[in-house]
Amino acid sequence: MVYDWFNRTGPSPAEPSATPPPASEQVSGQGPEQAQEQPVEVSSDPNAEALEWARQAYARLKAQQEEQKRRQLEPESAPEQDPQQVAQPATPVAAPLSLLEQAAAQRAERQQAITAPEAPALEAPAAPELAEPSLGAFDATFTWSAEVLAAQGKRVDQVSLEEIDWLTRLRQGLEKTRQGLVTQLLDNLGDDPLTPEVVDGLETTLLRADVGVEATDRALGALRQRLNQEVVDPAEGLRFLKEQLRAILDQPIEASGQPLLAPRREQLNVWLLVGVNGVGKTTTLGKLANLAVRSGYSCLIAAADTFRAAAVQQVQVWGERSKVPVISNPSANADPAAVVYDAIGAAQAKGTELVLVDTAGRLQTKHNLMEELSKVRRIVDKLAPEAVVESLLVLDASQGQNGLRQAMAFAKAAGLTGVVLTKLDGSARGGVALAVASEAGLPIRFIGAGEGIRDLRPFNSFEFVEALLAR
């Protein structure tokens, strides 16, 4: 009954299918008969039809949320039974204790009093992060998110609150990139049919957003070819540009044969996270662990970044937040390969499905550190030849073209299979995703658009481009 974020699938729709009509009355302010007639009246207007679709989705989610609240309250009201029945179970519990048992109970209470203050220290920061998403107002942000899901072929009964919440976060996270990019794009496009001069202006805009030379040439080359064949108005030009950008992002993903990167069920998966210092590797690892647990996978963390001060403690805090065990070596400058060795053994003994390995930050120019990655990979291949191994490069979006150079170097030395793009919310260079896909040829697997534990999700090119170029 959990939502599997890796595979973008959730539990089958529940009974609230009969509930949406009353809830839609709350959204639209119409009676049941008017609500039933509405789709027929607006079917000729795509915008009105999309709005009605969003209303129905909102109504269904609201009904689900109210039903969930009722279920949570039921256990509290259910035990209201006959007082005699309630008192009977308490009788054996209140049986007198022996002196030895009383002394043991007192010792346990003292032990709890001593250790209790320490427990909240690790869990307190995670409490607000782990709060379940709640349904907000029926506003422009919700309707935009619903339209993005509908455009991907989702039915009203397939829309989940998790996806609406993530699209809202993604759009907010790309705000800095969008402010400069979209404003300049719309200024260049204007209201008249596109001209070669307008396309030249688009080229400058895309390059400033760190889209990269190759991706820009490819997208605008196709647009110029289209202009040679027919007149293109601004709306069609923007739609065609989105289509070209999605094709650039999807090409390395399609070449990999895996539309979505997900751990294989009931099999050992080992994901190595690599990259330079400061890009957010450890934080990304913690978010991936949380994503795995909430998607129903068994998970384990290997704290193999043994050189950076406090790196192991940081991983342990993330493990505590996500309730994921951490394998580490407390000694200074421990061998990372030895930590991975222990983690693989523990995962095999427990039947764990996913092992996340936090590796030491390294510059792509340091040959000895790159060799250490190869050593870790050899350990994994030797101990678990049946394991599915992924090597994911964590990139800081704010580094722009420097991040692209890191991707090119790591791709040669570390056998990369994908990229995790982080810190999109703090950068105006979100276009670097296109440069990574086109020039490094690496599939983008996950993106981070915030500091919260839920602000990391599998990459979806359609959602990314729509959020990037949303008006």
Side-chain angles (χ1 to χ4, degrees), residues 192-213:
D192 300 323
L194 301 189
T195 63
E197 290 75 21
V198 170
V199 177
D200 291 342
L202 295 178
E203 182 175 13
T204 303
T205 300
L206 293 176
L207 289 174
R208 284 178 178 173
D210 271 336
V211 170
V213 175

Side-chain angles (χ1 to χ4, degrees), residues 308-372:
R308 182 169 62 90
V312 174
Q313 290 84 345
Q314 186 182 1
V315 171
Q316 288 172 340
V317 169
W318 279 108
E320 185 72 19
R321 288 179 175 180
S322 301
K323 297 180 174 57
V324 173
V326 176
I327 304 299
S328 62
N329 189 330
S331 60
N333 295 329
D335 183 6
V339 175
V340 175
Y341 183 98
D342 293 341
I344 296 296
Q348 290 173 328
K350 297 178 180 179
T352 301
E353 293 169 308
L354 177 62
V355 175
L356 295 169
V357 181
D358 185 29
T359 65
R362 64 205 71 226
L363 294 174
Q364 64 271 24
T365 54
K366 298 296 183 180
H367 178 72
N368 59 328
L369 290 175
M370 287 298 182
E371 281 299 313
E372 185 185 278

Side-chain angles (χ1 to χ4, degrees), residues 111-386:
Q111 186 68 23
Q112 278 187 343
I114 294 172
T115 58
E118 299 178 3
L122 289 176
E123 296 180 4
E129 300 285 0
L130 292 173
E132 291 295 324
S134 59
L135 188 62
F138 183 75
D139 54 13
T141 300
F142 181 91
T143 54
W144 175 85
S145 301
E147 287 173 8
V148 170
L149 294 173
Q152 297 180 80
K154 293 270 188 181
R155 301 192 310 269
V156 170
D157 62 347
Q158 292 177 321
V159 176
S160 70
L161 188 55
E162 283 274 6
E163 289 180 305
I164 293 289
D165 179 67
W166 163 243
L167 287 173
T168 301
R169 292 168 184 259
L170 177 61
R171 180 171 176 169
Q172 293 172 349
L174 287 171
E175 181 68 25
K176 289 186 178 180
T177 302
R178 187 171 62 252
Q179 282 178 351
L181 182 60
V182 174
T183 301
Q184 293 180 32
L185 276 177
L186 295 178
D187 288 344
N188 285 325
L189 290 173
D191 299 322
D192 300 323
L194 301 189
T195 63
E197 290 75 21
V198 170
V199 177
D200 291 342
L202 295 178
E203 182 175 13
T204 303
T205 300
L206 293 176
L207 289 174
R208 284 178 178 173
D210 271 336
V211 170
V213 175
E214 188 172 326
T216 300
D217 288 346
R218 178 175 165 183
L220 297 186
L223 184 56
R224 289 188 177 99
Q225 186 175 0
R226 177 90 179 264
L227 285 178
N228 292 334
Q229 299 172 352
E230 58 181 301
V231 175
V232 180
D233 61 46
E236 174 60 20
L238 185 60
R239 187 204 63 78
F240 186 76
L241 180 61
K242 288 181 179 180
E243 186 179 286
Q244 295 302 312
L245 297 181
R246 288 197 299 268
I248 293 170
L249 292 167
D250 283 337
Q251 185 172 352
I253 296 175
E254 292 171 356
S256 71
Q258 286 184 282
L260 290 171
L261 180 60
R264 297 186 188 177
R265 296 283 184 182
E266 300 180 357
Q267 185 175 351
L268 179 59
N269 301 264
V270 181
W271 290 6
L272 307 173
L273 272 68
V274 303
V276 302
N277 282 322
V279 295
K281 282 194 315 302
T282 304
T283 301
T284 298
L285 178 139
K287 293 178 180 180
L288 280 174
N290 180 263
L291 200 66
V293 170
R294 291 193 298 107
S295 297
Y297 290 90
S298 55
C299 183
L300 183 149
I301 296 175
D305 184 357
T306 57
F307 302 129
R308 182 169 62 90
V312 174
Q313 290 84 345
Q314 186 182 1
V315 171
Q316 288 172 340
V317 169
W318 279 108
E320 185 72 19
R321 288 179 175 180
S322 301
K323 297 180 174 57
V324 173
V326 176
I327 304 299
S328 62
N329 189 330
S331 60
N333 295 329
D335 183 6
V339 175
V340 175
Y341 183 98
D342 293 341
I344 296 296
Q348 290 173 328
K350 297 178 180 179
T352 301
E353 293 169 308
L354 177 62
V355 175
L356 295 169
V357 181
D358 185 29
T359 65
R362 64 205 71 226
L363 294 174
Q364 64 271 24
T365 54
K366 298 296 183 180
H367 178 72
N368 59 328
L369 290 175
M370 287 298 182
E371 281 299 313
E372 185 185 278
L373 280 178
S374 300
K375 181 181 178 182
V376 169
R377 181 62 184 263
R378 289 195 298 270
I379 289 291
V380 175
D381 292 340
K382 181 178 179 180
L383 289 180
E386 77 289 350

